[in-house]
Amino acid sequence: MHAFPCGTLALDFVGTLRARRDPEPREMLADGPALDAWFVEAGVIGEAPAAGRTELERAIELREAIYDCALARLQGHGLPSAAVGVLNRWAGSAPVRLMLDDASTRREGSAANGLATVARNAVELFGGDDAALLRECGRPGCTQVYVDRSRGGRREWCSMRTCGNRVKAAQFRARHRDAPASASA
């Protein structure tokens, strides 16, 4: 259901609003159960925390603050103070608890603990060296922001399996569609 191509928890969380510049972006966090599913699929919390409307509203506020910071970094601007305030408030909250069971770990917590964990990841990202590696996906329509850790820093897409494959397939179709027309000219 959810995608995780970005290289960080915080940016994958931003990706829960797809095609954000479209007239009707695709909201992946439509309700509390969708937020619960994201936490579990992302490995933030082991069991769905039963998020409600309030937690969903807070999650969307945090997501948009993370995006505002990412956009500012992409554009070479300073971080917006309102967004930084939201990140710092959440990052100062208690994160998900890690528990050891025999030879494995278990992650426990509420939706608020999950949001604190995401916020801490965002603070580390925007305050660290990886902030210089932020890129936006090169596929038209995709607004996913990712960390480009590729050798040479030349990654173009949030994910080769999705956006990269779509761009390359479209280029291939265009070349083959145009080839007969140019051969007969």
Side-chain angles (χ1 to χ4, degrees):
M1 177 174 176
H2 295 284
F4 303 93
C6 300
T8 69
L9 187 62
L11 295 178
D12 284 329
F13 192 59
V14 166
T16 60
L17 182 63
R18 306 244 173 97
R20 61 174 57 240
R21 286 190 284 278
D22 283 0
E24 294 182 32
R26 186 170 168 215
E27 178 62 73
M28 302 303 292
L29 299 179
D31 54 24
L35 178 59
D36 288 345
W38 188 87
F39 282 135
V40 172
E41 290 173 35
V44 175
I45 302 173
E47 293 184 26
R53 183 172 186 77
T54 300
E55 291 86 3
L56 181 63
E57 289 170 1
R58 291 175 178 162
I60 290 171
E61 177 191 33
L62 175 61
R63 178 188 69 195
E64 295 310 304
I66 295 168
Y67 180 73
D68 289 347
C69 289
L71 189 59
R73 285 288 190 231
L74 285 169
Q75 295 173 343
H77 301 308
L79 297 176
S81 60
V84 169
V86 171
L87 290 181
N88 285 336
R89 186 174 68 245
W90 277 106
S93 300
V96 169
R97 292 177 302 282
L98 291 175
M99 308 294 287
L100 183 62
D101 274 343
D102 294 326
S104 66
T105 57
R106 189 176 72 237
R107 289 168 170 75
E108 296 178 344
S110 66
N113 299 132
L115 294 175
T117 300
V118 172
R120 287 171 179 235
N121 180 259
V123 167
E124 289 176 346
L125 171 65
F126 299 127
D129 293 339
D130 281 352
L133 304 177
L134 292 177
R135 306 286 184 271
E136 186 175 64
C137 184
R139 182 179 68 82
C142 183
T143 55
Q144 190 75 285
V145 178
Y146 61 91
V147 176
D148 182 3
R149 293 188 184 103
S150 67
R151 202 163 69 183
R154 296 173 29 176
R155 182 173 158 190
E156 297 179 49
W157 305 290
C158 61
S159 170
M160 186 58 203
R161 284 194 321 235
T162 55
C163 289
N165 190 38
R166 289 178 189 164
V167 170
K168 287 182 177 271
Q171 290 170 343
F172 177 82
R173 285 190 302 272
R175 278 194 311 271
H176 287 278
R177 181 180 55 239
D178 295 341
S182 61
S184 63

